[in-house]
Amino acid sequence: MGQKVNPIGFRTGIMLGWKSRWYASKQEFADLLVEDQKIRDFVHKKHKFAGIPKVEIERTRDEVKVVLHAARPGVIIGRKGQEVEQLQDELPALVGRRINIKIEEVSRPELQAQLVAEDIGEQLAKRASFRRTMKRAMEATMEAGAKGIKIQLAGRLGGAEMARREKQISGSIPLSTLRAKIDYGFEEAKTAQGHIGVQ
């Protein structure tokens, strides 16, 4: 196997900011980290179809600020803000702290790697042809103004007995250039044939 570094982890602190912004002592750190993950998992599970590529968390001494970046903010807000009020009640019950929720709209979802991966995963779960799905996603992303895209599918593609990997690349992806703005997303689709990972 080649040595593969996650492009987001590689660029954090250089090109990209942290997704959790807070400082804690050694004793508290682990608990707060688990709390962050609980919040993220809960939000992703509850609003699966809102298209949430990232959840940013900031902490002060007495409250937690959660910024949800969403492609479809209307799904989170709901009619007359009912959904967001419900979320505002459920999150403090989950972590036991005061939580302040802010929702920001993602202007171009075709340029968010996580959203592209989720879209491909959804189509694969509906038993769409994987080659056509990959091609369509690549075209949409390139038309939206991306300089390059790489999609890799792995698993029992097309219902084959043997699991394999398929990779398509369009444009340029300078992975070792730290100044390049490179995004990464992953989605696991549970299809009738088995698990397929999209990245």
Side-chain angles (χ1 to χ4, degrees):
M1 276 297 286
Q3 278 73 39
K4 291 170 187 65
V5 178
N6 183 308
I8 291 176
F10 191 42
R11 287 168 179 77
T12 299
I14 299 162
M15 275 290 292
L16 304 166
W18 298 87
K19 284 188 182 139
S20 289
R21 290 185 288 275
W22 45 266
Y23 181 80
S25 63
K26 230 176 207 175
Q27 293 81 20
E28 293 177 300
F29 188 86
D31 296 334
L32 294 181
L33 196 64
V34 169
E35 209 172 273
D36 277 12
Q37 196 55 43
K38 268 188 195 167
I39 292 170
R40 287 197 173 95
D41 290 343
F42 182 79
V43 169
H44 282 296
K45 205 173 187 178
K46 188 170 168 61
H47 296 290
K48 192 170 172 25
F49 302 106
I52 302 172
K54 68 176 174 181
V55 177
E56 292 182 334
I57 297 170
E58 285 181 34
R59 292 173 186 273
T60 56
R61 186 165 294 181
D62 49 357
E63 79 163 6
V64 181
K65 184 182 173 192
V66 178
V67 182
L68 306 176
H69 295 263
R72 296 186 281 278
V75 176
I76 301 172
I77 297 164
R79 278 219 179 116
K80 295 176 185 169
Q82 286 173 325
E83 290 285 326
V84 80
E85 280 173 21
Q86 194 183 344
L87 191 64
Q88 191 83 58
D89 296 336
E90 287 170 346
L91 281 178
L94 182 77
V95 294
R97 291 174 203 271
R98 199 165 84 234
I99 288 187
N100 178 9
I101 297 172
K102 189 177 172 213
I103 298 163
E104 285 185 15
E105 188 175 0
V106 173
S107 53
R108 286 191 291 173
E110 300 87 21
L111 295 180
Q112 294 286 337
Q114 186 59 43
L115 298 181
V116 172
E118 281 174 19
D119 182 50
I120 293 171
E122 258 175 57
Q123 288 180 52
L124 291 177
K126 291 177 189 163
R127 310 190 88 170
S129 155
F130 73 92
R131 277 202 188 91
R132 193 178 302 136
T133 305
M134 277 168 97
K135 205 170 175 202
R136 200 175 291 150
M138 290 182 96
E139 282 168 7
T141 303
M142 291 305 279
E143 277 170 26
K147 288 184 179 171
I149 178 172
K150 175 162 79 175
I151 298 175
Q152 183 168 291
L153 299 184
R156 295 184 52 197
L157 303 173
E161 290 277 315
M162 191 89 157
R164 63 197 162 102
R165 283 176 191 275
E166 282 279 327
K167 187 161 74 172
Q168 281 191 19
I169 302 174
S170 177
S172 74
I173 301 131
L175 291 175
S176 40
T177 308
L178 277 169
R179 280 200 176 161
K181 188 171 177 277
I182 289 175
D183 199 2
Y184 170 86
F186 177 82
E187 176 70 11
E188 191 170 9
K190 293 174 180 71
T191 65
Q193 300 97 30
H195 294 271
I196 295 178
V198 183
Q199 100 186 21

